[in-house]
């Protein structure tokens, strides 16, 4: 016997976990994992960070640790 969201077995007990959920595939595209897009983004962010560190050292005269110790 089947009701809306549960199954009643032969002994008359309600089994809420008998109905399995519907299986679906979640398409996330090619922007996750080790893809060429992820590698390009990682490289660009690394270049921005490296240039920022060089600009910090040129503008202040100290490296990252020198700036952090003066705070």
């Amino acid at each position: 016997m089947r009701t809306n969201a549960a199954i009643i077995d032969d002994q008359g007990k309600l089994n809420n976990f008998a109905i399995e959920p519907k299986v679906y595939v979640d398409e996330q595209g090619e922007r996750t994992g080790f893809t060429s897009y992820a590698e390009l983004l990682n490289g660009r962010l690394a270049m921005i960070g490296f240039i920022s560190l060089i600009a910090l050292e040129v503008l202040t005269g100290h490296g990252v640790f020198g700036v952090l110790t003066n705070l």
Side-chain angles (χ1 to χ4, degrees), residues 14-62:
L14 185 64
N15 187 353
N16 289 330
F17 304 106
I19 298 175
E20 296 181 6
K22 295 188 188 265
V23 178
Y24 65 94
V25 176
D26 188 14
E27 294 290 335
Q28 295 182 358
E30 299 223 2
R31 294 186 176 238
T32 58
F34 294 106
T35 62
S36 59
Y37 175 78
E39 294 296 323
L40 282 173
L41 183 63
N42 187 22
R44 289 175 182 162
L45 292 175
M47 287 185 275
I48 290 171
F50 186 70
I51 297 299
S52 299
L53 287 176
I54 291 175
L56 176 74
E57 189 164 348
V58 167
L59 293 175
T60 62
H62 299 288

Side-chain angles (χ1 to χ4, degrees), residues 1 6-16 18:
M1 178 176 192
I7 293 178
I8 299 175
D9 63 2
D10 297 334
Q11 298 174 354
K13 295 180 182 175
L14 185 64
N15 187 353
N16 289 330

Side-chain angles (χ1 to χ4, degrees), residues 53 56-57 60-71:
L53 287 176
L56 176 74
E57 189 164 348
T60 62
H62 299 288
V64 176
F65 296 115
V67 171
L68 291 176
T69 56
N70 289 334
L71 290 178

